[in-house]
Structures are given as structure tokens and as C-alpha cells.
Amino acid sequence: MKIRESRQIVVKAIDYLVTPCADGLVRLTVEQLSALTFEHIISGLDSVSAVDFESERASFSGYTEWLFENRCAITLGWDWHWLWRDGQMTCCVKALPRSNIQLLEQGLDVSPRRNDELLITVINLLPWQKITAEAISKRYRESPMKLR
């Protein structure tokens, strides 16, 4: 009986040259996308009043944008909201992501719905809550974004 050795192909971000297609989208597999290191570009609040900062019932919403770049840029952005729960702020993705990424499965484009689902899965693997909170704290003088 022969035992076949299992080998996993590991994609390294440095080895992967991002190339956009004619339609402007960058086509990647989830494995390739997972190997890329996205950097935070900007985060901001939609609108906040001074009263909001003092309320433990307040909710905040905003946006965040991330980037991976080598030959061209891959962008990934989404809206989020923060809510007070049990005396702490919790955050989650509020809307569908915005990106120039088109994910592939078995060599074919996935549907728009599947693409959004997979991108949200990738977003949830990023340390975006902490980084976004820090960016908001730096950008706005008084910030409600304090993680405990």
C-alpha cells in the first residue's frame, strides 16, 4: 500500500504579484488573498455630536479603508458601527465591503453575493477593530472608541 505525501502549497505575499484584469478587478483565490498583508489607510466617523461622546447608550458609525500594494493596489473598505453593550463598546461590519477584489473558486469568478461573504470573512480575520479604534482616537480629539 502506497501512502501519498500530502503537500500544502503556501502562497507568500512577497511572491505574489498583483495584476489587475482588463475590467479593473484583481482576481485572487481566498488562499492568495489570505496571504496578503493589508495596511490601514484611514478610518473616520460618519457624524458625532459632543452629546454622543457622553452617552453610554450612544452608537457610532464610520468607515475604514485598507490597502495591499505591490504592482498595483488592492483596496478593501467597509462601513462599521460601534454600540455600547454591558458597559463596553463592541463593533461589527455594518454593510457590504467595497473592493476591487474578485475572488475565484475552481478558476471561476464567484457570484457577487459569495464574493461579499468571503470578503467579510477575510475582514473578520483582520485586527481591524483595535486599529480602527486607535485611528479614530488619533483623528478625533475626544473619542468614544476605547477597547477594554
Side-chain angles (χ1 to χ4, degrees):
M1 178 171 160
K2 284 188 173 179
I3 298 175
R4 297 181 81 194
E5 185 178 316
S6 173
R7 293 187 336 174
Q8 181 180 12
I9 298 172
V10 177
V11 179
K12 295 179 184 170
I14 198 160
D15 296 335
Y16 185 71
L17 293 177
V18 177
T19 307
C21 294
D23 61 3
L25 296 174
V26 178
R27 285 175 166 75
L28 305 162
T29 65
V30 172
E31 180 185 45
Q32 290 167 327
L33 180 60
S34 298
L36 306 181
T37 304
F38 282 85
E39 293 189 33
H40 177 260
I41 303 278
I42 190 169
S43 291
L45 295 172
D46 291 334
S47 65
V48 175
S49 69
V51 175
D52 290 331
F53 284 104
E54 298 172 11
S55 172
E56 289 230 353
R57 297 187 187 274
S59 65
F60 302 90
S61 62
Y63 57 90
T64 188
E65 297 287 333
W66 296 67
L67 172 76
F68 171 82
E69 188 172 30
N70 63 13
R71 180 181 284 176
C72 76
I74 295 180
T75 60
L76 184 57
W78 60 93
D79 295 331
W80 47 261
H81 63 264
W82 295 66
L83 304 167
W84 280 102
R85 260 194 211 132
D86 302 324
Q88 291 188 41
M89 292 295 283
T90 60
C91 57
C92 57
V93 176
K94 181 170 90 171
L96 298 176
R98 298 171 300 279
S99 181
N100 61 340
I101 298 169
Q102 173 59 59
L103 292 168
L104 302 169
E105 287 182 335
Q106 299 176 355
L108 301 173
D109 289 0
V110 298
S111 70
R113 181 179 177 174
R114 177 83 174 134
N115 202 64
D116 289 337
E117 290 170 354
L118 291 170
L119 288 176
I120 289 173
T121 299
V122 170
I123 288 167
N124 288 329
L125 296 175
L126 293 172
W128 72 269
Q129 294 94 340
K130 182 178 184 205
I131 292 170
T132 298
E134 289 169 359
I136 295 297
S137 294
K138 288 178 186 172
R139 186 170 177 186
Y140 299 92
R141 214 168 106 194
E142 297 285 330
S143 176
M145 313 302 220
K146 301 220 185 326
L147 293 178
R148 297 173 199 208

